[in-house]
Amino acid sequence: MAEEAVLGHLEKNEEISDSGKFAEEKGISHDEIVNVIKSLNGFRLVDAQDIKRERWGLTKEGEMYAESGSPEAQLFLAIPLEGITREELQKKLDSSIFKIGCQQAIKNKWIEMGKSQVSRKVQHVDDRVRDLLLQIQNGEAVNAEDVDALKKRKLITPLMWKGYSVKKGPKYAPKRKKVATDLTRENLLRGDWRELEFKEYNFLAKGQPTEGGCLHPLLKVRRQMQMIFLQMGFEEMPTNNFIESSFWNFDALFQPQQHPARDSHDTFFLKEPSTTKMLPEDYVERVKAVHESGGYGSRGYGYEWKREEANKNLLRTHTTAVSTRMLYALAQDFAPKKYYSIDRVFRNEAVDRTHLAEFHQIEGLICDHGLTLGHLIGVLEDFFSRLGMSKLKFKPAYNPYTEPSMEIFSYHEGLGKWVEIGNSGMFRPEMLLPMGLPEDVQVIAWGLSLERPTMILYGIDNIRDLFGHKVDLGLIKRNPLCRLGL
């Protein structure tokens, strides 16, 4: 109906000067007329030009006053001729109506507000505010002074009206001809294909976007880290066991059983199965002895070591538990090795912008004869230079299972300051010698998280936007290539 009205009008007239007035004359919704004009304009049956007009509309508060009257008028009408107490008047009106009404009625000199009594100063008032609001609602003109007064009270708001002026287009016809999109077998058999008008091909139209899998930023950075380790001659350790015993996770690392990290506030312990039954007994005895009374030049911790504590199962708190197993296996038939691992670990930590209860740890270690702290610093400078971090600093630190220990800092050009990027050290004799490794063999090791460099590379400031159930899938699809080590 709307399309027939537009094309029919243009057949007899030069143009439709205003789509709003045209819709009103024809008794058709303006939205319907606009949709038809857009469609006809797309097929060049008509040429349409935008028309924009600013007008005033009522706010929700203005609509309420247009229907029920202004607050000052409502308050005036609620006051009887003999007057009323302030408390009684407040009960008759809504609190906001009472507050605004009092201000405006006093300003207009309609009422007299005594200490306890409220009375009329005039017998009759005109609700000019409501009249003005109704005029605006009906599209009637209102003078600028009144508009300013209503604007100050936030009863009206500017609205943009959009419409079209329409003229005949280069392909104008009184009736739109349906164009065919396909040539069918029936068209050929009937022979009507000669009269058919086919829709033009749009060679600039974009095709359907192809859907495909996308790598998560963590996987990209992880792969580049793996390539750097492989280029440096490292072998990957098997890290498929998320569940470890306290023995391999803590005790074998010469970490005392009363250490705070072994508390349930920091570690996830398993309920079922709660304990392990598979530990190398001879090695367990040597670890027990070094904890209780020392050995290999150490005094030990001097406490009663408990097997039941060592048997407790937990979600591993670091991948160093895997390193411990690998070094113990290596001690049975020693040969110099370089190992690395990148996998998930678990800590019972409060979740915030920089901490999660599970994250990924990168670990590298070298086991050989006669290694020193100088070798560790040299390997770290080589490793981090491949990550694009050439400015390094080392600060003495404490770890239960490494001595000496160092925190690693790198200068961040963007932040303009030194940032901690990892931890490192040389495994203690109390950890290595009970395994059965030769006395002249040392192990240098270092570790860092996978999430921190990924967040820096991809400009992410909240770890929950990178890992977990709140990750935006759009981030996965849009993230660029990882250029570490390239």
Side-chain angles (χ1 to χ4, degrees), residues 247 279-288 307 328 332 434-435:
F247 178 80
L279 292 175
E281 293 301 326
D282 58 336
Y283 179 42
V284 170
E285 287 302 316
R286 292 196 295 273
V287 169
K288 176 184 177 182
R307 178 64 181 264
Y328 174 72
Q332 312 316 306
M435 294 176 177

Side-chain angles (χ1 to χ4, degrees), residues 265-305:
H265 294 295
D266 295 293
T267 303
F268 292 110
F269 289 95
L270 267 67
K271 286 186 177 179
E272 187 66 36
S274 60
T275 58
T276 185
K277 296 179 181 177
M278 296 184 297
L279 292 175
E281 293 301 326
D282 58 336
Y283 179 42
V284 170
E285 287 302 316
R286 292 196 295 273
V287 169
K288 176 184 177 182
V290 80
H291 275 252
E292 288 185 341
S293 54
Y296 316 106
S298 170
R299 292 182 298 176
Y301 291 114
Y303 70 98
E304 185 184 350
W305 187 86

Side-chain angles (χ1 to χ4, degrees), residues 3 59 68 121 125 157 169 181-182 200 204 210 223 249 278 306 309-311 334 338 366 401 480:
E3 185 172 313
T59 61
S68 307
K121 290 180 79 172
V125 296
T157 185
T181 54
D182 294 304
E200 292 181 5
L204 300 177
T210 56
R223 181 58 182 159
N249 196 83
M278 296 184 297
K306 295 178 181 178
E309 280 294 323
N311 285 346
F334 179 73
K338 294 179 180 179
I366 300 174
Y401 46 90

Side-chain angles (χ1 to χ4, degrees), residues 94-327:
D94 183 80
S95 59
S96 62
I97 296 293
F98 177 80
K99 183 180 177 182
I100 299 168
C102 283
Q103 291 172 353
Q104 296 298 326
I106 291 170
K107 184 180 176 183
N108 295 342
K109 298 181 181 179
W110 290 356
I111 63 169
E112 187 172 340
M113 187 75 71
K115 288 185 178 179
S116 59
Q117 192 81 1
V118 183
S119 57
R120 295 183 179 186
K121 290 180 79 172
V122 293
Q123 298 306 311
H124 174 75
V125 296
D126 292 322
D127 192 354
R128 181 162 171 72
V129 170
R130 185 187 186 190
D131 294 341
L132 290 169
L133 291 172
L134 289 171
Q135 285 178 35
I136 289 171
Q137 199 170 46
N138 296 328
E140 298 173 22
V142 176
N143 68 53
E145 215 173 279
D146 291 328
V147 166
D148 286 341
L150 295 174
K151 270 170 62 181
K152 284 177 183 175
R153 292 183 64 173
K154 297 182 180 177
L155 302 179
I156 59 173
T157 185
L159 301 174
M160 186 62 72
W161 181 88
K162 294 180 181 180
Y164 293 96
S165 65
V166 185
K167 292 182 179 179
K168 292 178 183 177
K171 294 185 179 180
Y172 172 79
K175 189 173 182 181
R176 193 198 308 226
K177 190 175 181 180
K178 191 174 181 182
V179 293
T181 54
D182 294 304
L183 179 63
T184 65
R185 180 174 178 271
E186 288 74 20
N187 297 144
L188 295 171
L189 290 173
R190 290 195 302 264
D192 60 4
W193 58 271
R194 296 180 182 86
E195 285 77 38
L196 286 176
E197 183 178 336
F198 290 94
K199 185 178 179 181
E200 292 181 5
Y201 280 107
N202 181 2
F203 293 103
L204 300 177
K206 293 182 178 179
Q208 187 72 17
T210 56
E211 290 293 332
C214 301
L215 288 175
H216 191 283
L218 280 173
L219 291 177
K220 292 183 178 181
V221 176
R222 175 188 174 130
R223 181 58 182 159
Q224 291 303 116
M225 290 284 188
Q226 284 178 323
M227 294 306 296
I228 289 170
F229 275 116
L230 293 173
Q231 288 163 14
M232 293 176 70
F234 283 71
E235 298 175 36
E236 187 168 11
M237 294 185 279
T239 55
N240 52 329
N241 288 340
F242 288 170
I243 296 170
E244 274 292 1
S245 67
S246 292
F247 178 80
W248 292 110
N249 196 83
F250 294 124
D251 294 275
L253 273 70
F254 195 57
Q255 194 157 333
Q257 292 185 338
Q258 67 270 25
H259 194 280
R262 301 181 68 151
D263 191 81
S264 60
H265 294 295
D266 295 293
T267 303
F268 292 110
F269 289 95
L270 267 67
K271 286 186 177 179
E272 187 66 36
S274 60
T275 58
T276 185
K277 296 179 181 177
M278 296 184 297
L279 292 175
E281 293 301 326
D282 58 336
Y283 179 42
V284 170
E285 287 302 316
R286 292 196 295 273
V287 169
K288 176 184 177 182
V290 80
H291 275 252
E292 288 185 341
S293 54
Y296 316 106
S298 170
R299 292 182 298 176
Y301 291 114
Y303 70 98
E304 185 184 350
W305 187 86
K306 295 178 181 178
R307 178 64 181 264
E308 54 269 26
E309 280 294 323
N311 285 346
K312 288 180 180 178
N313 283 333
L314 48 80
L315 291 175
R316 68 181 179 213
T317 61
H318 47 194
T319 51
T320 316
V322 181
S323 305
T324 313
R325 284 180 176 272
M326 294 299 292
L327 290 171

Side-chain angles (χ1 to χ4, degrees), residues 7-41:
L7 294 175
H9 183 88
L10 289 175
E11 189 178 8
K12 299 173 184 176
N13 300 276
E14 284 294 318
E15 67 171 348
I16 297 170
S17 58
D18 189 316
S19 60
K21 291 179 182 176
F22 180 78
E24 198 175 324
E25 289 169 8
K26 298 295 181 181
I28 303 171
S29 160
H30 185 244
D31 288 339
E32 193 178 343
I33 292 289
V34 165
N35 289 335
V36 165
I37 291 171
K38 286 179 179 178
S39 175
L40 295 173
N41 187 59

